[in-house]
Amino acid sequence: MNPNNYLILAGILFTIGAFGVVVRRNAIIVFMSVEMMLNAANLAFATAARTTGTLDGQVAAFFVMVVAAAEVVVGLAIIVTIFRTRRSASIDEANLLKY
Amino acid sequence: MNGESVVFWITAIFAVVGALGMVLSRKAVHSALWVAFAMVNLAVLYFTLQAPFLATTQIVVYTGAVMMLFLFVLMIVGVDSSDSLLETLKGQRLLATLFGLAFGALLLSGVASTIALRDNGLDVANGDYGGNIQGIAHLVFNRYLLAFEVTSALLITAVIGAMVLAHRERWAPRKTQAELSRERTFTSQVTPLPNPGVLARHNAVDTPALLPDGTPSQASLPKQFRETSHEDEAAKEVTS
Amino acid sequence: MTAALIGLPLFGATVLLLGGRRTNAWGHYFAVAMSASSFFVGVATFMSMLGRSAEDRTIETHLFDWIAVGSFQVPFGLQIDQLSIAFVLLITGVGTLIHIYSIGYMAHDENRRKFFAYLNLFVAAMLLLVLANNYFLLYVGWEGVGLASYLLISFWQHKPSAAVAGKKAFVVNRVGDVGLSLAVMLMFVTFGTVTFSGVSAAAGNGDATSLKLIGFALLLAACGKSAQFPLQSWLLDAMEGPTPVSALIHAATMVTAGVYLIVRAHAIFDLSETARTAVVVIGAITLLLGAFIGTAKDDIKKGLAGSTMSQIGYMILAAGLGPVGYVFAIFHLLTHGMFKAGLFLGAGSVMHGVNDDVNMRHYGALRGAMKITYVTFGLGFLAIIGIPPFAGFWSKDEIIKVAFEQNTLVGLCTLVGAGVTAFYMTRMMTMTFFGEARWEKDVHPHESPSTMTIPMIILAVGSAFGGLLLLFVGDIEAWLEPVTGFATSTEAGGMAWLMPTTLLVIAAGVAYAWNTYGRRPVPVVAPAEVSLLTRAARNDAYGDAINEAIFMRPGLHLTRALVWFDTKGIDGFIGGFAALIGGLSARGRKLQNGYARSYALTMLGGAALIAFVLYLVRL
């Protein structure tokens, strides 16, 4: 089994996640897309661990998970706060910070 | 075709399907479920990559905790709040497709053509300390100890941040039981308010109950969902 | 001792300027006291100098290190030697007399205290000029007298003509000052030092070109300060200042600073024949030009100003003749300082008596009304035209003799100059004191108060006997010889015909003037139908017109062109560039549309671009 396949899969998932961030307007789905990108990165880390024969890649993936958890907590809290004031979860609604 | 290949191809296809489903679903709840599906498949892939600890964590933390958190927030925001798939920003979707395809194509062709990876396998590394978890623990508590400690600070900060963001000041003193009963007795609404979703097509928190004459009752909704009725949202979709 | 010479008048100026109106009552006496005490210090210094042998007479006083930058070392040092002390006595002596005179002359001026402060300031600056032991410090004094001159010329600044004259003097002097600063810089580059002794010692090491350039720069400086051709135009306008100022600054002392500078830098000029020739040519031109202007002026002060230019031309010419002439340049400078100051004070006294009218055509027959003025002015007149045994005779005669020895053409210039001098001074004398009275209606000529007449009398005595004293009692040639060098002419005996010829030329000038102005009535209004030459002389030989045509107009056009280029070209470019940036920014600002998804799209595009670049370089 060629490890390149794992990397290609990671690339596909990352691209789909990025696409989702750009085209979706629901803030929660945007967040999910970000999580998908992080997962793709984790997959690449795990693959790297296998190709190099060390566990460092897995540790990196572990740290990414920790950071992702923290990010999700704060991000969702922000979404809830915005929803409270603007009664909408669309990120296009929050566009006052502009020219 | 060895066993790993079989597992890889099945889970890889499932994961891509899950990701696409997330992006293309109209409703947020469906997206969340697709993501959970993709993540479970990724967990399986971690097993084939000889990372049982990561696989377990993926299921416990991501599909278990993070995605559930997403679903909770969706409950607050409104399970039924579906996204319009109409694009409002001019050229956004076209450019996104273009950039996405270009980025993906370049990334994949780069990976496919230029990097020749050797498969060293993790048998040795996993065996050094008697297992994958022991090996990771050794690294985390030795080489990456500082990073590990810093993540603890990060997590506590995130918790406090979430609390601060979600916290709301109480502007009026808490009503006593006597006040509440008096209020209830001397207003026109003597009976309890209907629950959201009663007799309606959804039982979500943002779906108003239907009154006996079939009209939706705004009074059945929690405060933050009132006024933005389904009719309003539909009207918004049309105008946008 | 030396520092006290400068310090006393400087203290006076400081007290009067900072003290303000509180010093109004006694300020003029204080200024006179400061000037006089400086004079007494000078006399004391002179006495102690007399007691020493010729080699020991130079005293250097090092006050402090002024500028010490790498190899550029300028001490704040004073040097008093035979040349300096002569100037010190002239400046403080004549200066004190003019201070006293000014008490009477400025009695009714409400700004009298300020006037005396400026006079003290001038005396201090002039003393610094002649006492400095290096060219850099001399430059400070040089600028100081320029400042005092500016302040005093435009003292009556309520008159636009006075304000303009002060500005003109300042601007024209600036041209000369550039010459001096160039000379100082060139000296430092060439010799590595700017002290008098250092430059004199090292002058032999300089190459011919450097010496020539330094000489020219010094000459330019002297031209500016001493009103020599082609920078002569300011002196005639400078007569707008009060008459004591004209007497002290624009006749006796400041305008002779150029002569001092050239004599002081004789080490340079001794070695550069070209520079010396240039000095002689400038001196000869100015001597004739000034005399020419003096012949046609009806304004008594402007006539005297032309005469001053002419006499300084004599000095510059003598200084340019080299070691044979330095001593006589200084000799003539000293005698001129006395008789010209006396003449100016006399003119001031006349003006005082006729309601400040300066037009000589309104004078006439004043000898009866103003006897003391008449006598003192007459003595000055005899001195300047060179009648023996009065002061001017001795000094001017020596210059003419030396000039003839060096070059017949130069000698002829000086001889003609002497004749013209006799003409215009006789014209001035007769128009003022002889003939019939042509006074304006309400003019009642009267003699001036004693504060004014006493200085005039003292200066008249100096005019009468100063030359004799300096030449025979003081032996000025031997006195100055250690400083300036002195070479007696080889064919000293072969010029016996010269003195009678000179006297004959002078007599001819006097006779012609008497014939024209003394025996015939003088028209009250200047005749309009006059020859081209007269008209040129009345217009200061068109000096202003030439300056205007050569410098002012092209400068004006250049400035206009530059302004046009600045507004259209540079401002246009800058403004256009700013507008371009502004326009681009206004459009680029629209990118900040507030939509997070747009920003994310931009990031995605950027990531694609980076991936593309990485792909290209195969990382």
Side-chain angles (χ1 to χ4, degrees):
Chain A
M1 185 67 205
N2 185 355
N4 273 13
N5 290 342
Y6 289 99
L7 288 183
I8 288 169
L9 175 61
I12 290 170
L13 292 179
F14 188 88
T15 310
I16 292 172
F19 185 73
V21 170
V22 177
V23 296
R24 294 309 299 257
R25 271 183 295 172
N26 190 323
I28 297 170
I29 297 180
V30 169
F31 247 96
M32 288 178 203
S33 300
V34 171
E35 293 304 314
M36 185 55 73
M37 290 162 77
L38 288 169
N39 268 292
N42 276 353
L43 184 60
F45 270 127
T47 311
R50 193 173 120 178
T51 55
T52 54
T54 59
L55 289 174
D56 295 59
Q58 293 190 7
V59 175
F62 168 69
F63 280 125
V64 170
M65 282 184 191
V66 175
V67 174
E71 173 236 332
V72 162
V73 168
V74 177
L76 289 177
I78 291 171
I79 287 172
V80 168
T81 314
I82 291 176
F83 181 80
R84 263 190 213 146
T85 52
R86 303 191 72 90
R87 296 184 182 275
S88 163
S90 168
I91 58 168
D92 283 2
E93 298 276 326
N95 69 341
L96 289 179
L97 190 63
K98 61 182 174 184
Y99 51 87
Chain B
M1 278 301 248
N2 56 10
E4 193 196 342
S5 295
V6 174
V7 172
F8 174 79
W9 287 114
I10 293 171
T11 49
I13 288 165
F14 280 176
V16 172
V17 167
L20 286 174
M22 171 202 74
V23 175
L24 300 177
S25 289
R26 210 169 155 220
K27 294 199 174 185
V29 177
H30 296 170
S31 285
L33 292 176
W34 279 119
V35 171
F37 175 67
M39 283 177 175
V40 169
N41 281 295
L42 283 175
V44 176
L45 281 175
Y46 289 152
F47 274 116
T48 68
L49 284 170
Q50 293 174 290
F53 175 70
L54 271 190
T56 318
T57 321
Q58 173 84 358
I59 289 177
V60 172
V61 173
Y62 264 117
T63 43
V66 172
M67 292 321 296
M68 289 316 111
L69 191 59
F70 269 103
L71 286 173
F72 273 123
V73 173
L74 278 171
M75 289 297 174
I76 296 173
V77 174
V79 134
D80 206 27
S81 65
S82 58
D83 232 10
S84 154
L85 287 182
L86 259 138
E87 183 53 58
T88 48
L89 296 180
K90 203 171 130 193
Q92 174 87 0
R93 195 165 286 176
L94 178 72
L95 279 175
T97 315
L98 205 68
F99 286 161
L101 285 178
F103 179 70
L106 287 164
L107 203 61
L108 299 186
S109 65
V111 168
S113 68
T114 58
I115 303 172
L117 292 170
R118 266 186 310 155
D119 189 359
N120 285 315
L122 284 168
D123 296 331
V124 179
N126 279 343
D128 271 353
Y129 294 94
N132 176 254
I133 294 176
Q134 285 88 339
I136 288 178
H138 180 77
L139 278 177
V140 164
F141 290 108
N142 286 289
R143 189 186 294 171
Y144 298 107
L145 184 63
L146 182 65
F148 183 70
E149 294 295 342
V150 173
T151 50
S152 66
L154 174 72
L155 283 173
I156 199 82
T157 314
V159 168
I160 294 171
M163 286 168 62
V164 168
L165 284 168
H167 179 71
R168 258 195 299 194
E169 286 294 324
R170 176 176 290 282
W171 299 109
R174 182 187 285 275
K175 284 172 182 164
T176 61
Q177 205 173 5
E179 281 174 328
L180 283 172
S181 67
R182 201 173 298 125
E183 229 174 48
R184 178 172 290 182
T185 314
F186 290 107
T187 52
S188 56
Q189 183 78 40
V190 181
T191 56
L193 290 169
N195 289 324
V198 172
L199 298 176
R201 287 162 65 195
H202 288 275
N203 60 354
V205 74
D206 61 338
T207 310
L210 292 182
L211 296 175
D213 58 354
T215 53
S217 163
Q218 288 292 319
S220 67
L221 294 175
K223 266 179 210 151
Q224 62 260 44
F225 290 117
R226 286 180 196 167
E227 292 155 3
T228 49
S229 60
H230 282 253
E231 287 78 11
D232 291 351
E233 237 177 47
K236 222 161 55 176
E237 268 182 39
V238 171
T239 51
S240 69
Chain C
M1 279 292 260
T2 321
L5 281 172
I6 303 170
L8 286 167
L10 190 64
F11 176 67
T14 313
V15 167
L16 292 191
L17 284 177
L18 296 185
R21 293 208 187 90
R22 270 161 291 179
T23 60
N24 269 358
W26 43 270
H28 44 286
Y29 298 118
F30 185 67
V32 171
M34 285 299 123
S35 181
S37 46
S38 186
F39 174 63
F40 290 129
V41 172
V43 169
T45 314
F46 178 61
M47 290 303 173
S48 75
M49 196 180 270
L50 279 178
R52 290 193 298 273
S53 63
E55 293 76 39
D56 297 336
R57 280 175 179 161
T58 303
I59 309 167
E60 290 224 28
T61 316
H62 179 84
L63 291 178
F64 54 87
D65 285 328
W66 185 24
I67 299 172
V69 183
S71 62
F72 187 60
Q73 303 284 338
V74 181
F76 200 99
L78 303 177
Q79 168 183 347
I80 189 154
D81 57 13
Q82 291 91 330
L83 180 60
S84 302
I85 195 71
F87 269 89
V88 167
L89 292 178
L90 175 73
I91 294 161
T92 53
V94 175
T96 306
L97 291 178
I98 289 171
H99 271 74
I100 296 167
Y101 178 89
S102 302
I103 295 176
Y105 191 83
M106 301 296 282
H108 306 298
D109 196 296
E110 57 186 10
N111 287 324
R112 180 166 68 169
R113 170 193 48 91
K114 219 196 277 176
F115 180 81
F116 276 90
Y118 293 159
L119 274 188
N120 262 209
L121 178 67
F122 168 78
V123 169
M126 190 71 202
L127 286 171
L128 181 63
L129 198 163
V130 299
L131 287 174
N133 80 340
N134 61 70
Y135 288 96
F136 210 78
L137 194 55
L138 181 147
Y139 192 28
V140 175
W142 189 271
E143 291 295 330
V145 293
L147 169 69
S149 160
Y150 165 75
L151 291 170
L152 287 166
I153 291 172
S154 47
F155 185 74
W156 287 321
Q157 71 238 53
H158 53 85
K159 286 197 298 185
S161 59
V164 170
K167 199 163 77 178
K168 182 173 177 183
F170 203 76
V171 171
V172 177
N173 264 298
R174 198 100 336 253
V175 179
D177 295 348
V178 169
L180 184 54
S181 61
L182 278 178
V184 174
M185 291 179 219
L186 282 169
M187 278 176 193
F188 177 66
V189 170
T190 314
F191 308 123
T193 176
V194 292
T195 57
F196 293 151
S197 51
V199 170
S200 298
N205 306 337
D207 56 304
T209 317
S210 300
L211 289 171
K212 202 192 300 174
L213 284 176
I214 294 172
F216 283 151
L218 288 170
L219 176 60
L220 179 63
C223 283
K225 197 56 89 189
S226 297
Q228 297 297 289
F229 177 83
L231 301 175
Q232 83 285 6
S233 60
W234 66 271
L235 185 61
L236 291 157
D237 287 356
M239 296 302 131
E240 288 292 341
T243 308
V245 173
S246 307
L248 177 61
I249 301 183
H250 305 120
T253 54
M254 186 191 84
V255 285
T256 59
V259 182
Y260 171 78
L261 184 68
I262 289 177
V263 173
R264 187 49 98 181
H266 67 90
I268 307 279
F269 288 97
D270 284 348
L271 293 168
S272 179
E273 182 72 39
T274 324
R276 272 215 314 279
T277 311
V279 174
V280 171
V281 169
I282 293 291
I285 291 176
T286 317
L287 131 70
L288 293 176
L289 189 73
F292 174 59
I293 291 173
T295 54
K297 288 288 174 189
D298 291 333
D299 181 329
I300 186 168
K301 285 180 70 182
K302 290 205 170 167
L304 285 172
S307 157
T308 305
M309 272 167 64
S310 171
Q311 298 302 313
I312 296 169
Y314 270 107
M315 299 169 208
I316 294 275
L317 186 146
L321 292 173
V324 292
Y326 294 137
V327 167
F328 299 123
I330 299 299
F331 182 27
H332 192 53
L333 192 157
L334 296 174
T335 55
H336 173 257
M338 287 184 275
F339 63 68
K340 185 53 68 67
L343 286 170
F344 262 111
L345 295 189
S349 175
V350 170
M351 286 160 58
H352 199 71
V354 296
N355 296 358
D356 287 332
D357 192 346
V358 292
N359 193 340
M360 289 191 290
R361 290 185 189 276
H362 300 159
Y363 294 171
L366 289 172
R367 67 182 184 279
M370 309 171 81
K371 286 204 172 59
I372 299 173
T373 309
Y374 166 59
V375 172
T376 55
F377 197 91
L379 285 172
F381 159 74
L382 293 174
I384 190 172
I385 65 173
I387 300 292
F390 299 105
F393 165 75
W394 304 104
S395 50
K396 198 189 282 182
D397 193 58
E398 294 285 1
I399 292 176
I400 294 172
K401 199 162 75 185
V402 172
F404 263 106
E405 284 164 13
Q406 298 292 315
N407 186 316
T408 314
L409 185 63
V410 176
L412 278 175
C413 286
T414 57
L415 193 58
V416 172
V420 181
T421 306
F423 171 79
Y424 68 71
M425 284 312 297
T426 312
R427 171 175 177 269
M428 194 177 287
M429 194 73 194
T430 48
M431 281 174 86
T432 306
F433 294 105
F434 296 99
E436 76 277 24
R438 303 179 296 276
W439 309 334
E440 305 268 81
K441 259 176 264 163
D442 53 347
V443 166
H444 307 289
H446 55 88
E447 189 53 275
S448 302
S450 58
T451 48
M452 289 168 70
T453 51
I454 289 168
M456 284 157 60
I457 292 166
I458 296 173
L459 285 171
V461 170
S463 309
F465 307 112
L468 273 170
L469 278 172
L470 282 170
L471 196 58
F472 297 112
V473 180
D475 196 2
I476 188 158
E477 293 161 8
W479 175 256
L480 285 175
E481 197 266 329
V483 182
T484 62
F486 180 62
T488 39
S489 164
T490 45
E491 39 180 331
M495 291 285 191
W497 53 271
L498 191 58
M499 198 196 292
T501 315
T502 311
L503 288 176
L504 213 61
V505 170
I506 291 168
V510 172
Y512 182 55
W514 178 255
N515 192 37
T516 315
Y517 298 98
R519 291 176 52 191
R520 298 179 206 159
V522 178
V524 174
V525 179
E529 300 286 322
V530 289
S531 70
L532 217 59
L533 279 174
T534 314
R535 209 170 293 154
R538 278 186 192 162
N539 287 316
D540 308 346
Y542 298 116
D544 287 339
I546 290 166
N547 280 347
E548 197 176 307
I550 295 180
F551 298 111
M552 198 205 88
R553 292 258 169 71
L556 207 61
H557 289 305
L558 180 69
T559 314
R560 285 209 186 113
L562 286 177
V563 166
W564 181 85
F565 179 70
D566 185 53
T567 48
K568 300 287 175 190
I570 294 179
D571 286 4
F573 174 70
I574 301 291
F577 197 67
L580 180 73
I581 298 285
L584 282 178
S585 306
R587 279 166 187 75
R589 206 175 58 154
K590 296 286 179 192
L591 288 174
Q592 300 288 323
N593 55 8
Y595 293 111
R597 293 193 298 137
S598 282
Y599 306 156
L601 182 67
T602 315
M603 279 175 70
L604 181 60
L609 191 69
I610 290 171
F612 180 63
V613 172
L614 290 178
Y615 186 73
L616 281 184
V617 299
R618 303 272 164 169
L619 261 175

